[in-house]
Amino acid sequence: VGNIAFDTPEEEVNVFFRGKQGLASFRVATQAGGGSRGFGFAEFNDPLSALEAIKAIDNQDIRGRRLRLRWGENSSTTPEVDEFHRAPERWKTRPCYEVYKKIPCPRGDTCPYAHVDSELRKLGGAPPPLPPGDAATALAIAASFPGGSAAARRGPAVAAAPP
């Protein structure tokens, strides 16, 4: 749990987690002197409960700041968590757990997680590029051809389209 204002009491953040199914514990990380470090940890009894809490609490406002909830980078995932991270805004925004553990990734090319640092994106950053042949890519290509009418642009676009 990130983006907690340093002067926010733990109890105020706890309000968001109260009643969430499967919550095992929540705590705000503190400095040696006792002040907040601006983030905390929520632990759940099962992955589905954690995922539902992320969906419900992420981006909620507290003291003018938006809470950021993320799946732990050192935590294994489930097919449901993988699917959640396939959304364009979350694609490659966390490291792949298996790669982190130095074991082969079972997802291959469809893995929504970063396998190397250069793939890692900041959440909310630019979406990943679309693969060649994707319908949106074909539309963007067609839109870039000159011509006064759709028919005039369609001819070169069809000729340039991959088979």
Side-chain angles (χ1 to χ4, degrees):
V1 181
N3 205 31
I4 301 170
F6 293 114
D7 62 345
T8 304
E10 186 168 319
E11 182 53 36
E12 202 169 320
V13 182
N14 248 327
V15 168
F16 288 96
F17 289 95
R18 203 171 282 136
K20 294 296 177 220
Q21 182 178 334
L23 180 68
S25 68
F26 173 77
R27 67 181 175 86
V28 170
T30 56
Q31 299 175 18
S36 169
R37 294 179 62 196
F39 64 92
F41 300 94
E43 295 179 288
F44 289 82
N45 294 325
D46 62 276
L48 288 178
S49 295
L51 184 58
E52 290 307 312
I54 289 172
K55 290 176 181 178
I57 302 170
D58 185 42
N59 210 30
Q60 293 293 315
D61 185 87
I62 183 168
R63 294 189 174 209
R65 299 179 77 150
R66 299 281 178 187
L67 289 176
R68 286 191 316 252
L69 273 71
R70 304 292 176 262
W71 194 264
E73 291 181 5
N74 300 337
S75 302
S76 60
T77 64
T78 66
E80 294 84 5
V81 173
D82 293 348
E83 193 58 37
F84 177 70
H85 282 93
R86 281 190 171 84
E89 67 275 8
R90 295 187 184 279
W91 182 262
K92 305 286 185 187
T93 57
R94 71 179 291 270
C96 179
Y97 174 77
E98 288 80 8
V99 171
Y100 169 79
K101 289 292 196 177
K102 300 188 181 347
I103 56 178
C105 174
R107 295 172 215 83
D109 292 342
T110 64
C111 184
Y113 311 113
H115 288 188
V116 294
D117 287 343
S118 62
E119 285 184 338
L120 199 57
R121 294 186 319 111
K122 183 176 181 175
L123 190 67
L130 294 169
D134 184 283
T137 302
L139 289 173
I141 291 169
S144 68
F145 283 100
S149 68
R153 287 190 299 274
R154 199 171 18 254
V158 169

